[in-house]
Amino acid sequence: MSAGATDPVRDELTAIWQDVFKVTAEEIDPDEGFFELGGTSLQAVQLMTRIEKAFDVKIPLPVIFTEGSVAGLTAIVEEELLSGADELTDEEALRLLEEHQEAGEERR
């Protein structure tokens, strides 16, 4: 990725982690695992719920434990989002993109 480029999925997951773990973005190492941060089962459920709400993607609880880093979950969410994209028309894809961008702007 070029300097200054952002990854909206990673950015949103980072924001979710900030809220769930009560840390700043600077304190989050994208490769640091869920348990390395001292994650609890309650926080795992919060992450799972927040990810589903933000991306309409279901991440099973065991995946939070095994792939539970911002980087790992970014890859999984992006893969899930792309797998469903083949079934969308161009109009549906554009509408969803606009809705996601608007929702992201409202959260900031």
Side-chain angles (χ1 to χ4, degrees):
M1 220 179 280
S2 63
T6 62
D7 179 336
V9 173
R10 177 174 272 184
D11 293 346
E12 182 64 24
L13 284 172
T14 299
I16 291 170
W17 278 59
Q18 284 177 257
D19 190 46
V20 169
F21 287 102
K22 307 296 184 221
V23 295
T24 65
E26 294 75 29
E27 294 175 283
I28 297 173
D29 175 348
D31 297 313
E32 188 171 28
F34 175 79
F35 289 116
E36 292 172 310
L37 277 170
T40 66
S41 57
L42 177 60
Q43 288 170 316
V45 171
Q46 289 173 334
L47 286 172
M48 185 177 67
T49 303
R50 297 278 303 274
I51 291 168
E52 183 174 354
K53 183 177 178 184
F55 300 105
D56 197 24
V57 169
K58 292 183 187 241
I59 303 291
L61 196 55
V63 173
I64 299 289
F65 296 139
T66 59
E67 301 297 328
S69 68
V70 172
L73 292 173
T74 296
I76 291 169
V77 169
E78 287 176 344
E79 183 177 311
E80 287 295 318
L81 292 173
L82 289 174
S83 72
D86 293 340
E87 302 166 11
L88 297 176
T89 65
D90 290 345
E91 292 81 18
E92 290 172 321
L94 287 172
R95 180 183 53 78
L96 288 172
L97 178 61
E98 289 172 0
E99 288 174 2
H100 184 70
Q101 288 173 336
E102 288 171 3
E105 290 171 7
E106 288 175 6
R107 284 191 288 271
R108 288 181 183 19

